[in-house]
Coordinates of all heavy atoms in Angstrom, one line a residue:
M1 N 7.6 -33.7 60.1 CA 8.6 -33.0 60.9 C 10.0 -33.3 60.4 O 10.3 -34.5 60.2 CB 8.4 -33.5 62.3 CG 9.2 -32.6 63.3 SD 9.1 -33.3 65.0 CE 7.3 -32.7 65.3
P2 N 10.8 -32.3 60.2 CA 12.2 -32.6 59.7 C 13.0 -33.4 60.7 O 12.7 -33.4 62.0 CB 12.8 -31.2 59.6 CG 11.6 -30.2 59.6 CD 10.5 -30.9 60.3
H3 N 13.9 -34.2 60.1 CA 14.9 -34.8 61.0 C 16.0 -34.0 61.5 O 16.2 -32.9 61.0 CB 15.4 -36.1 60.2 CG 14.5 -37.2 60.1 ND1 13.2 -37.0 59.7 CD2 14.6 -38.6 60.3 CE1 12.6 -38.2 59.7 NE2 13.4 -39.1 60.0
T4 N 16.7 -34.5 62.4 CA 17.8 -33.8 63.1 C 19.0 -34.7 63.2 O 19.0 -35.9 63.6 CB 17.4 -33.4 64.5 OG1 16.2 -32.4 64.5 CG2 18.6 -32.6 65.3
I5 N 20.2 -34.1 63.0 CA 21.4 -34.8 63.3 C 22.0 -34.2 64.6 O 22.2 -32.9 64.7 CB 22.5 -34.6 62.3 CG1 22.0 -35.4 61.0 CG2 23.9 -35.2 62.7 CD1 23.0 -35.3 59.8
V6 N 22.2 -35.0 65.6 CA 22.8 -34.6 66.9 C 24.2 -34.4 66.7 O 24.9 -35.3 66.5 CB 22.5 -35.7 68.0 CG1 23.1 -35.1 69.4 CG2 21.0 -36.0 68.1
S7 N 24.6 -33.1 66.7 CA 25.9 -32.8 66.2 C 27.1 -33.5 67.0 O 28.1 -34.0 66.5 CB 26.2 -31.2 66.4 OG 25.3 -30.5 65.7
D8 N 26.9 -33.6 68.3 CA 27.9 -34.2 69.2 C 27.9 -35.7 69.2 O 28.8 -36.3 69.7 CB 27.7 -33.7 70.6 CG 28.3 -32.2 70.7 OD1 29.1 -31.8 69.9 OD2 27.9 -31.5 71.6
R9 N 26.9 -36.3 68.4 CA 26.9 -37.8 68.3 C 27.4 -38.2 66.9 O 27.7 -39.3 66.7 CB 25.6 -38.4 68.6 CG 25.2 -38.4 70.0 CD 24.1 -39.4 70.2 NE 23.7 -39.7 71.6 CZ 24.2 -40.8 72.2 NH1 24.8 -41.7 71.5 NH2 24.0 -41.0 73.5
C10 N 27.2 -37.3 65.9 CA 27.6 -37.7 64.5 C 29.1 -37.9 64.5 O 29.9 -37.3 65.1 CB 27.2 -36.5 63.7 SG 27.7 -36.6 61.9
E11 N 29.4 -39.0 63.7 CA 30.8 -39.4 63.5 C 31.3 -39.0 62.1 O 32.4 -39.5 61.7 CB 31.0 -40.8 63.9 CG 30.7 -41.2 65.3 CD 31.1 -42.5 65.7 OE1 31.5 -43.3 64.9 OE2 30.8 -42.8 66.9
G12 N 30.5 -38.3 61.3 CA 30.9 -37.8 60.0 C 31.1 -38.9 59.0 O 31.8 -38.8 57.9
V13 N 30.4 -40.0 59.2 CA 30.5 -41.2 58.2 C 30.0 -40.8 56.9 O 30.5 -41.3 55.8 CB 29.7 -42.4 58.8 CG1 29.9 -43.5 57.9 CG2 30.1 -42.6 60.2
S14 N 29.0 -40.0 56.8 CA 28.4 -39.4 55.6 C 27.6 -40.4 54.8 O 27.2 -40.1 53.6 CB 29.4 -38.5 54.7 OG 30.1 -39.4 53.9
D15 N 27.2 -41.5 55.3 CA 26.4 -42.4 54.7 C 25.0 -41.7 54.3 O 24.4 -41.9 53.3 CB 26.0 -43.7 55.4 CG 27.2 -44.5 55.6 OD1 28.3 -44.2 55.1 OD2 27.1 -45.6 56.3
C16 N 24.6 -40.9 55.3 CA 23.3 -40.2 55.2 C 23.4 -39.2 54.0 O 22.4 -38.9 53.3 CB 23.0 -39.5 56.5 SG 24.2 -38.3 57.0
V17 N 24.5 -38.5 53.9 CA 24.6 -37.5 52.8 C 24.4 -38.1 51.4 O 23.6 -37.6 50.5 CB 26.0 -36.9 52.9 CG1 26.1 -35.8 51.7 CG2 26.3 -36.2 54.2
D18 N 24.9 -39.3 51.2 CA 24.8 -39.8 49.9 C 23.5 -40.4 49.7 O 22.9 -40.6 48.5 CB 25.8 -41.1 49.8 CG 27.3 -40.6 49.8 OD1 27.5 -39.4 49.4 OD2 28.2 -41.3 50.2
A19 N 22.8 -40.8 50.8 CA 21.4 -41.4 50.7 C 20.3 -40.5 50.6 O 19.2 -40.8 50.1 CB 21.2 -42.3 51.9
C20 N 20.4 -39.2 51.0 CA 19.3 -38.3 51.1 C 18.9 -37.9 49.7 O 19.7 -37.4 48.9 CB 19.8 -37.0 51.8 SG 18.5 -35.8 51.9
P21 N 17.6 -38.1 49.4 CA 17.1 -37.9 48.1 C 16.9 -36.4 47.6 O 16.8 -36.1 46.5 CB 15.7 -38.6 48.1 CG 15.2 -38.4 49.5 CD 16.5 -38.5 50.2
V22 N 17.0 -35.6 48.7 CA 16.9 -34.0 48.3 C 18.2 -33.3 48.6 O 18.1 -32.0 48.7 CB 15.7 -33.4 49.0 CG1 14.4 -34.1 48.4 CG2 15.8 -33.5 50.5
A23 N 19.2 -34.0 48.9 CA 20.5 -33.3 49.2 C 20.5 -32.2 50.2 O 21.0 -31.1 50.0 CB 21.2 -32.9 47.9
C24 N 19.8 -32.4 51.4 CA 19.6 -31.3 52.3 C 20.6 -31.7 53.5 O 20.4 -30.9 54.6 CB 18.2 -31.3 52.8 SG 17.6 -32.6 53.8
I25 N 21.5 -32.5 53.4 CA 22.5 -32.8 54.6 C 23.8 -32.2 54.3 O 24.4 -32.4 53.2 CB 22.6 -34.3 54.9 CG1 21.2 -34.8 55.1 CG2 23.6 -34.5 56.0 CD1 21.2 -36.4 55.3
H26 N 24.3 -31.3 55.1 CA 25.4 -30.5 54.7 C 26.5 -30.6 55.8 O 26.2 -30.8 57.0 CB 25.0 -29.0 54.7 CG 23.8 -28.7 53.8 ND1 23.9 -28.9 52.3 CD2 22.6 -28.4 54.0 CE1 22.9 -28.5 51.8 NE2 21.9 -28.3 52.8
P27 N 27.8 -30.4 55.4 CA 28.9 -30.5 56.4 C 28.9 -29.4 57.4 O 28.6 -28.2 57.0 CB 30.1 -30.4 55.6 CG 29.8 -29.9 54.3 CD 28.3 -30.2 54.0
G28 N 29.1 -29.6 58.6 CA 29.3 -28.7 59.7 C 30.7 -28.0 59.6 O 31.6 -28.5 58.9
R29 N 30.7 -27.0 60.3 CA 32.1 -26.3 60.3 C 32.9 -26.8 61.4 O 32.4 -26.8 62.6 CB 31.9 -24.7 60.5 CG 33.1 -23.9 60.4 CD 32.9 -22.5 60.6 NE 31.9 -21.9 59.5 CZ 31.3 -20.8 59.6 NH1 31.5 -20.1 60.7 NH2 30.5 -20.4 58.7
G30 N 34.1 -27.3 61.1 CA 35.0 -27.7 62.1 C 34.7 -29.1 62.6 O 34.2 -29.9 61.9
T31 N 34.8 -29.3 63.9 CA 34.6 -30.7 64.5 C 33.6 -30.5 65.7 O 33.5 -29.4 66.3 CB 35.8 -31.3 65.0 OG1 36.5 -30.4 65.8 CG2 36.8 -31.7 63.8
N32 N 33.0 -31.6 66.1 CA 32.1 -31.5 67.2 C 32.9 -31.7 68.6 O 34.2 -31.8 68.5 CB 31.0 -32.6 67.1 CG 31.5 -34.0 67.2 OD1 32.6 -34.3 67.5 ND2 30.7 -34.9 66.7
S33 N 32.2 -31.9 69.7 CA 32.9 -31.9 70.9 C 33.7 -33.1 71.1 O 34.6 -33.2 72.1 CB 31.8 -31.8 72.1 OG 31.0 -32.9 72.1
R34 N 33.5 -34.1 70.3 CA 34.4 -35.3 70.4 C 35.4 -35.4 69.3 O 36.1 -36.4 69.1 CB 33.4 -36.6 70.2 CG 32.4 -36.7 71.4 CD 31.8 -38.0 71.5 NE 31.0 -38.3 70.3 CZ 30.5 -39.5 70.1 NH1 30.6 -40.5 71.0 NH2 29.8 -39.7 69.0
G35 N 35.6 -34.3 68.6 CA 36.7 -34.2 67.7 C 36.4 -34.8 66.3 O 37.3 -35.0 65.5
N36 N 35.0 -35.1 66.0 CA 34.7 -35.7 64.7 C 34.0 -34.6 63.8 O 33.4 -33.7 64.3 CB 33.5 -36.7 65.0 CG 34.2 -37.9 65.8 OD1 35.3 -38.4 65.5 ND2 33.3 -38.4 66.7
P37 N 34.2 -34.8 62.5 CA 33.5 -33.9 61.6 C 32.0 -34.3 61.8 O 31.7 -35.5 62.2 CB 34.1 -34.4 60.2 CG 34.6 -35.7 60.4 CD 35.1 -35.8 61.9
F38 N 31.1 -33.4 61.5 CA 29.7 -33.7 61.6 C 29.0 -33.1 60.6 O 29.4 -32.2 59.8 CB 29.2 -33.2 63.0 CG 29.3 -31.7 63.1 CD1 28.1 -30.9 62.9 CD2 30.5 -31.0 63.6 CE1 28.2 -29.5 63.0 CE2 30.6 -29.7 63.6 CZ 29.4 -29.0 63.4
F39 N 27.7 -33.4 60.4 CA 26.8 -32.9 59.3 C 25.5 -32.4 60.0 O 25.2 -32.6 61.1 CB 26.4 -34.0 58.2 CG 27.6 -34.3 57.4 CD1 28.7 -35.2 57.9 CD2 27.7 -33.9 56.2 CE1 29.7 -35.5 57.1 CE2 28.8 -34.1 55.3 CZ 29.9 -35.0 55.8
W40 N 24.8 -31.6 59.2 CA 23.6 -31.1 59.7 C 22.4 -31.1 58.6 O 22.8 -31.2 57.5 CB 23.7 -29.6 60.2 CG 24.1 -28.6 59.2 CD1 25.4 -28.4 58.8 CD2 23.3 -27.7 58.5 NE1 25.4 -27.4 57.9 CE2 24.2 -26.9 57.7 CE3 21.9 -27.3 58.5 CZ2 23.7 -25.9 56.8 CZ3 21.5 -26.3 57.8 CH2 22.4 -25.6 56.8
I41 N 21.2 -31.2 59.1 CA 20.1 -31.2 58.1 C 19.3 -29.9 58.0 O 19.0 -29.4 59.2 CB 19.1 -32.4 58.6 CG1 19.7 -33.8 58.5 CG2 17.8 -32.4 57.8 CD1 19.0 -34.9 59.2
D42 N 19.2 -29.5 56.8 CA 18.5 -28.3 56.6 C 17.0 -28.5 56.8 O 16.4 -29.2 55.9 CB 18.8 -27.7 55.2 CG 18.1 -26.4 55.0 OD1 17.2 -25.9 55.7 OD2 18.4 -25.8 54.0
P43 N 16.3 -28.1 57.8 CA 14.9 -28.3 58.0 C 14.0 -27.8 57.0 O 12.8 -28.2 56.8 CB 14.6 -27.8 59.5 CG 15.6 -26.7 59.6 CD 16.8 -27.1 58.9
D44 N 14.5 -26.8 56.4 CA 13.6 -26.1 55.3 C 13.5 -26.9 54.0 O 12.5 -26.7 53.2 CB 14.1 -24.8 55.0 CG 14.1 -23.8 56.2 OD1 13.2 -24.0 57.0 OD2 14.9 -22.9 56.2
T45 N 14.4 -28.0 53.9 CA 14.5 -28.7 52.7 C 14.1 -30.1 52.9 O 13.7 -30.8 52.0 CB 15.9 -28.6 52.1 OG1 16.3 -27.3 52.1 CG2 15.9 -29.1 50.6
C46 N 14.3 -30.7 54.1 CA 14.1 -32.0 54.5 C 12.6 -32.4 54.2 O 11.7 -31.7 54.6 CB 14.5 -32.2 55.9 SG 14.0 -33.8 56.6
I47 N 12.4 -33.6 53.5 CA 11.1 -34.1 53.3 C 10.6 -35.1 54.2 O 9.6 -35.7 54.0 CB 10.9 -34.5 51.8 CG1 11.9 -35.6 51.5 CG2 11.1 -33.2 50.8 CD1 11.7 -36.2 50.1
D48 N 11.4 -35.4 55.2 CA 11.0 -36.3 56.3 C 10.9 -37.7 55.8 O 10.0 -38.4 56.3 CB 9.8 -35.7 57.0 CG 9.6 -36.4 58.4 OD1 10.6 -36.6 59.0 OD2 8.4 -36.4 58.8
C49 N 11.7 -38.1 54.9 CA 11.6 -39.5 54.3 C 12.1 -40.6 55.3 O 11.8 -41.7 55.2 CB 12.3 -39.6 52.9 SG 14.0 -39.5 53.1
G50 N 13.0 -40.2 56.1 CA 13.5 -41.1 57.1 C 14.8 -42.0 56.7 O 15.2 -42.9 57.4
I51 N 15.2 -41.8 55.4 CA 16.3 -42.6 54.9 C 17.6 -42.3 55.7 O 18.3 -43.4 56.0 CB 16.5 -42.4 53.4 CG1 15.3 -42.9 52.7 CG2 17.8 -43.0 52.9 CD1 15.3 -42.6 51.2
C52 N 17.8 -41.1 56.1 CA 19.1 -40.9 56.8 C 19.1 -41.7 58.1 O 20.2 -42.2 58.5 CB 19.3 -39.4 57.1 SG 17.8 -38.6 57.9
L53 N 18.0 -41.8 58.8 CA 18.0 -42.5 60.0 C 18.1 -44.0 59.8 O 18.9 -44.7 60.6 CB 16.6 -42.3 60.6 CG 16.3 -43.0 62.0 CD1 17.3 -42.7 63.0 CD2 14.9 -42.5 62.5
Q54 N 17.7 -44.6 58.6 CA 17.8 -45.9 58.3 C 19.3 -46.3 57.9 O 19.8 -47.3 58.4 CB 17.0 -46.3 57.1 CG 15.4 -46.3 57.4 CD 14.6 -46.5 56.1 OE1 15.0 -47.1 55.2 NE2 13.4 -45.8 56.1
V55 N 20.0 -45.4 57.4 CA 21.3 -45.7 56.9 C 22.4 -45.4 57.9 O 23.5 -45.9 57.8 CB 21.7 -45.1 55.6 CG1 20.7 -45.5 54.5 CG2 21.8 -43.6 55.6
C56 N 22.1 -44.5 58.8 CA 23.2 -44.1 59.8 C 23.6 -45.2 60.6 O 22.8 -45.8 61.3 CB 22.7 -42.9 60.6 SG 23.9 -42.4 61.8
P57 N 24.9 -45.5 60.7 CA 25.4 -46.6 61.5 C 25.7 -46.2 63.0 O 25.9 -47.1 63.8 CB 26.7 -47.0 60.9 CG 27.2 -45.7 60.3 CD 26.0 -44.9 59.9
V58 N 25.4 -44.9 63.3 CA 25.8 -44.5 64.7 C 24.5 -44.3 65.5 O 23.6 -43.5 65.2 CB 26.5 -43.1 64.6 CG1 26.9 -42.7 66.0 CG2 27.8 -43.3 63.8
E59 N 24.4 -45.1 66.6 CA 23.2 -45.0 67.4 C 22.9 -43.7 68.0 O 23.8 -43.1 68.5 CB 23.4 -46.0 68.6 CG 22.3 -46.2 69.6 CD 21.2 -47.0 69.1 OE1 21.6 -48.0 68.4 OE2 20.0 -46.8 69.4
G60 N 21.7 -43.2 67.8 CA 21.4 -41.8 68.3 C 21.9 -40.6 67.6 O 21.7 -39.5 68.0
A61 N 22.5 -40.8 66.4 CA 23.0 -39.6 65.7 C 21.9 -38.9 65.0 O 22.0 -37.7 64.8 CB 24.2 -40.0 64.7
V62 N 20.9 -39.6 64.4 CA 19.8 -39.1 63.8 C 18.5 -39.2 64.5 O 18.2 -40.4 65.1 CB 19.7 -39.7 62.3 CG1 18.5 -39.0 61.6 CG2 20.9 -39.6 61.5
L63 N 17.8 -38.2 64.7 CA 16.5 -38.2 65.4 C 15.3 -37.9 64.4 O 15.5 -37.1 63.6 CB 16.5 -37.1 66.5 CG 17.6 -37.2 67.5 CD1 17.4 -36.1 68.5 CD2 17.5 -38.6 68.2
A64 N 14.3 -38.5 64.5 CA 13.1 -38.3 63.6 C 12.2 -37.3 64.1 O 11.0 -37.3 64.2 CB 12.2 -39.6 63.5
E65 N 12.8 -36.2 64.5 CA 12.1 -35.0 65.0 C 13.0 -33.7 64.8 O 14.2 -33.9 64.8 CB 11.7 -35.1 66.4 CG 12.8 -35.5 67.5 CD 12.3 -35.7 68.9 OE1 11.2 -35.2 69.2 OE2 13.1 -36.4 69.6
E66 N 12.4 -32.6 64.8 CA 13.1 -31.4 64.8 C 13.7 -30.9 66.1 O 12.8 -30.7 67.1 CB 12.4 -30.3 64.1 CG 13.2 -29.0 63.8 CD 12.6 -28.1 62.9 OE1 11.3 -28.2 62.6 OE2 13.1 -27.1 62.4
R67 N 14.9 -31.0 66.4 CA 15.5 -30.6 67.7 C 16.7 -29.6 67.5 O 17.8 -30.0 67.6 CB 16.0 -31.8 68.5 CG 15.0 -32.9 68.8 CD 14.1 -32.4 69.8 NE 14.8 -32.2 71.1 CZ 15.1 -33.1 71.9 NH1 14.8 -34.4 71.7 NH2 15.8 -32.8 73.0
P68 N 16.3 -28.3 67.1 CA 17.4 -27.4 66.8 C 18.4 -27.2 67.9 O 19.6 -26.8 67.6 CB 16.6 -26.1 66.4 CG 15.3 -26.3 67.0 CD 15.0 -27.8 67.1
E69 N 18.1 -27.5 69.1 CA 19.0 -27.2 70.2 C 20.1 -28.3 70.3 O 21.2 -28.1 70.9 CB 18.2 -27.2 71.6 CG 17.9 -28.5 72.1 CD 16.6 -29.0 71.5 OE1 16.0 -28.5 70.5 OE2 16.0 -30.0 72.1
L70 N 19.9 -29.4 69.5 CA 21.0 -30.4 69.5 C 21.8 -30.5 68.3 O 22.7 -31.1 68.2 CB 20.3 -31.8 69.6 CG 19.5 -32.1 71.0 CD1 18.8 -33.5 70.9 CD2 20.4 -32.0 72.1
Q71 N 21.4 -29.6 67.3 CA 22.0 -29.6 66.0 C 22.7 -28.2 65.7 O 22.1 -27.2 65.6 CB 20.9 -30.0 64.9 CG 21.6 -29.8 63.5 CD 20.6 -30.3 62.4 OE1 20.6 -31.4 61.9 NE2 19.7 -29.4 62.0
K72 N 24.1 -28.3 65.6 CA 24.8 -27.1 65.3 C 24.6 -26.8 63.9 O 24.6 -27.7 63.0 CB 26.3 -27.3 65.5 CG 26.7 -27.4 66.9 CD 28.2 -27.3 67.1 CE 28.8 -27.6 68.4 NZ 28.5 -29.0 69.0
R73 N 24.5 -25.5 63.4 CA 24.4 -25.1 62.1 C 25.4 -24.0 61.8 O 25.8 -23.3 62.8 CB 23.1 -24.5 61.8 CG 21.9 -25.6 61.9 CD 20.6 -25.0 61.6 NE 20.5 -24.4 60.2 CZ 19.4 -24.0 59.6 NH1 18.3 -24.3 60.2 NH2 19.5 -23.5 58.5
P74 N 25.9 -23.8 60.6 CA 26.9 -22.7 60.4 C 26.3 -21.3 60.7 O 25.1 -21.2 60.7 CB 27.1 -22.8 58.8 CG 26.6 -24.2 58.5 CD 25.6 -24.5 59.4
Ligands
LIG101 S1 24.4 -38.6 60.9 FE1 25.1 -40.7 60.8 S2 25.5 -41.2 58.6 FE2 25.2 -39.0 58.8 S3 27.2 -38.2 58.9 FE3 26.6 -38.5 61.0 S4 27.3 -40.5 61.6 FE4 27.4 -40.4 59.4
LIG102 S1 14.6 -37.4 56.4 FE1 15.1 -37.8 54.2 S2 15.0 -35.7 53.3 FE2 15.3 -35.5 55.5 S3 17.5 -35.3 55.8 FE3 16.9 -37.5 56.1 S4 17.2 -38.4 54.1 FE4 17.2 -36.2 53.7

């Protein structure tokens, strides 16, 4: 099951972007509800390796399940 970035929790640190082996984490448009840049995971490309969850320093920003209602996409 693809992973999800909770848009309103992401702080835009981008550790996950550099770590993702298939480059499926992309910048969101604008900022989230807390004024931070954020990223989103393309569920069609994600291979569910879990590395983004391991490297993200922000509690609750990455979920190991597909939750499209929590993740803004362009
Ligand atoms: S999900 Fe975590 S590591 Fe990735 S951009 Fe957001 S805060 Fe940074
Ligand atoms: S689970 Fe793996 S493939 Fe999917 S977004 Fe995270 S690092 Fe990339």
